[in-house]
Amino acid sequence: FLPHLVASMEQVEETYIMVKPDGVQRGLVGEIISRFEKKGFKLIGLKLFQCPQDLAEEHYIDLKAKSFYPKLIDYITSGPVVCMAWEGIGVVASARKLIGSTNPLQAEPGTIRGDLAVQTGRNVVHGSDSPENGKREIALWFGEGEICEWTPAQAPWLRE
Ligand code: IDP
Ligand code: MG
């Protein structure tokens, strides 16, 4: 076991996190941002945004054949969302753990969905499911100049 080699293999990833319209309407924006902020990931993009129909359809293209797809598109376009891009080592899988299972009743207490939601169709937050989809979704939801490269002051206190 060579810790320095393992560390050098760790990949910096980006993930697309979104507070869905129910999360915005229920006043959970600060709470949800706070979970990722406190964990120690780096915020590199953030905006309040009314999602147009075509973008919602593109974002959920893989679910097009599902019976709930039309309702899902209605839900995501029903009010403003908060779009976020977060960066960090292992951020994609870690964010999915912080979010919890798709069905909030099965999501563990302590997760965002486990603590703050009761139904799959109103599960308050989205998170990319792979590093590839993280990149794809950030490119879909953010324009040129909306992603910010910066070094948080806390960086040396998060990683040795
Ligand atoms: P995920 O958001 O946990 O990655 P996916 O399977 O990718 O879950 O589904 C995307 C979104 O579609 C879910 O978060 C949820 O809002 C919605 N969804 C998934 N399955 C159902 C369902 O059976 N009924 C209603 N909505 C669903
Ligand atoms: Mg998904």
Side-chain angles (χ1 to χ4, degrees):
F1 178 67
L2 299 167
H4 62 287
L5 282 181
V6 173
S8 72
M9 284 162 55
E10 292 175 335
Q11 290 292 309
V12 176
E13 300 169 349
E14 294 168 7
T15 192
Y16 177 65
I17 303 294
M18 174 167 70
V19 183
K20 295 177 177 180
D22 50 334
V24 177
Q25 298 288 352
R26 292 176 54 207
L28 298 174
V29 171
E31 165 84 33
I32 291 171
I33 294 177
S34 190
R35 304 272 176 128
F36 300 96
E37 204 177 29
K38 285 177 188 162
K39 173 73 174 169
F41 292 122
K42 179 165 87 168
L43 184 64
I44 58 170
L46 174 67
K47 65 180 177 187
L48 182 72
F49 182 65
Q50 174 61 54
C51 175
Q53 179 90 10
D54 57 349
L55 177 58
E57 289 175 3
E58 180 63 24
H59 175 77
Y60 283 123
I61 192 87
D62 293 348
L63 299 174
K64 208 173 174 74
K66 302 281 185 187
S67 59
F68 59 81
Y69 181 78
K71 276 173 70 178
L72 175 59
I73 301 306
D74 286 349
Y75 164 45
I76 293 302
T77 57
S78 64
V81 295
V82 171
C83 310
M84 291 176 269
W86 290 88
E87 183 190 282
I89 291 166
V91 69
V92 173
S94 178
R96 296 275 293 185
K97 279 192 185 168
L98 291 174
I99 288 169
S101 302
T102 304
N103 181 343
L105 291 183
Q106 275 148 31
E108 292 295 324
T111 66
I112 295 168
R113 287 168 174 166
D115 289 349
L116 304 175
V118 292
Q119 201 188 37
T120 303
R122 295 287 185 270
N123 62 5
V124 302
V125 65
H126 166 83
S128 307
D129 62 8
S130 67
E132 296 68 34
N133 276 335
K135 281 192 163 44
R136 180 185 81 89
E137 292 169 4
I138 289 168
L140 205 55
W141 289 86
F142 288 96
E144 288 277 324
E146 288 188 320
I147 298 298
C148 194
E149 272 312 318
W150 63 297
T151 303
Q154 62 173 328
W157 302 102
L158 280 161
R159 300 189 60 82
E160 59 180 12

